Amino acid sequence: MRMASPRLWLAAVALLSACTAARVVTHSVDSTLSAAPAGVYSLDPNHWSITFDVDHLKYSRVVMRFNRAKATLQLDAAAPEQSSVKVEIDAASLDTNDKTLDKLVTSSALIDAANYPTIRFDSTRFETTGPSTAKLTGTLTIHGASTPVTLDVTFNGAAPNPLTREPTAGFSATGTFNRSSLGLAKWYPAVGDDVQVRIQAEFVQHRPGTGDAPPPAGDSASGAKGE
């Protein structure tokens, strides 16, 4: 059998690249939650951001980013109240852009990541407030203590990813909790009590048989880093 010429291979690669670029350029999403495919989704390990921020001496709010997390979304667009989310964050992955501060916050003086390595959020209620908005209530657990938290969620849209062809859904969320409710009152009032939560997340519904779906929330931390 004759081998294809290098020119033919290059032409094929160029055509494939052009098709991929065209899919990206013409990509669109449906931002109506009821149109999203139902099923189990996993957090895209490369496209997410979870940050906490807290007042610092009334000057500004210190932003704490987490670099390792995983989450599982059970989405029922036809009956949104049946939807649920489980999130696990590696407490030691906290990143303030100041290594000295990172050590202080993750030490036994505050969240004690060595003895309480996982920050958890387990949803208890999902309530739609509009075609693409909802309130997600759940239990946040840090340092072995728990407190209820309600997040204002925006559904950014869903569609097959133009690069992977896998069903993908994007969400944004914001919320607030008081760290004192978790017994974490160290350095107050120099450091504020109310903690703002900000989330950007893409969830992927992996095709059966691909073998690349991350383990469900509840296993060990994945080590994935958001961007």
Side-chain angles (χ1 to χ4, degrees):
M1 184 173 65
R2 295 180 60 186
M3 296 291 292
S5 69
R7 288 184 178 180
L8 184 57
W9 280 112
L10 289 173
V13 171
L15 180 61
L16 179 60
S17 298
C19 291
T20 300
R23 289 200 302 269
V24 171
V25 170
T26 59
H27 178 63
S28 62
V29 299
D30 191 331
S31 60
T32 304
L33 182 59
S34 59
V40 178
Y41 290 73
S42 297
L43 183 67
D44 183 328
N46 299 309
H47 299 97
W48 62 272
S49 173
I50 300 173
T51 64
F52 292 173
D53 64 79
V54 65
D55 180 75
H56 174 248
L57 295 171
K58 309 299 181 183
Y59 292 129
S60 64
R61 296 187 71 85
V62 173
V63 177
M64 295 164 280
R65 170 193 171 101
F66 293 94
N67 290 329
R68 290 186 295 274
K70 63 183 178 179
T72 300
L73 166 66
Q74 177 72 56
L75 181 62
D76 187 338
E81 68 279 2
Q82 300 299 319
S83 299
S84 62
V85 180
K86 291 184 179 295
V87 183
E88 291 189 356
I89 303 170
D90 183 347
S93 74
L94 180 143
D95 184 353
T96 65
N97 201 35
D98 180 337
K99 292 188 181 302
T100 300
L101 183 56
D102 294 347
K103 290 180 180 179
L104 282 173
V105 177
T106 58
S107 73
S108 59
L110 205 61
I111 66 174
D112 195 2
N115 291 308
Y116 301 93
T118 305
I119 296 172
R120 291 185 172 84
F121 177 83
D122 297 283
S123 69
T124 56
R125 184 182 182 189
F126 188 91
E127 178 186 7
T128 57
T129 56
S132 59
T133 57
K135 286 189 178 295
L136 178 67
T137 300
T139 302
L140 176 67
T141 302
I142 304 176
H143 195 265
S146 299
T147 190
V149 174
T150 297
L151 300 173
D152 292 311
V153 177
T154 297
F155 175 59
N156 298 323
N161 185 299
L163 300 177
T164 66
R165 303 296 185 90
E166 292 179 318
T168 301
F171 296 85
S172 304
T174 59
T176 306
F177 68 92
N178 293 329
R179 62 190 183 96
S180 59
S181 66
L182 296 164
L184 305 174
K186 191 78 171 181
W187 307 316
Y188 181 82
V191 177
D193 186 28
D194 69 295
V195 180
Q196 302 287 333
V197 181
R198 304 177 194 278
I199 300 168
Q200 296 288 333
E202 294 181 23
F203 285 86
V204 179
Q205 189 178 56
H206 293 275
R207 294 188 298 269
T210 58
D212 56 358
D219 296 339
S220 59
S222 66
K225 184 173 182 178
E227 74 172 17

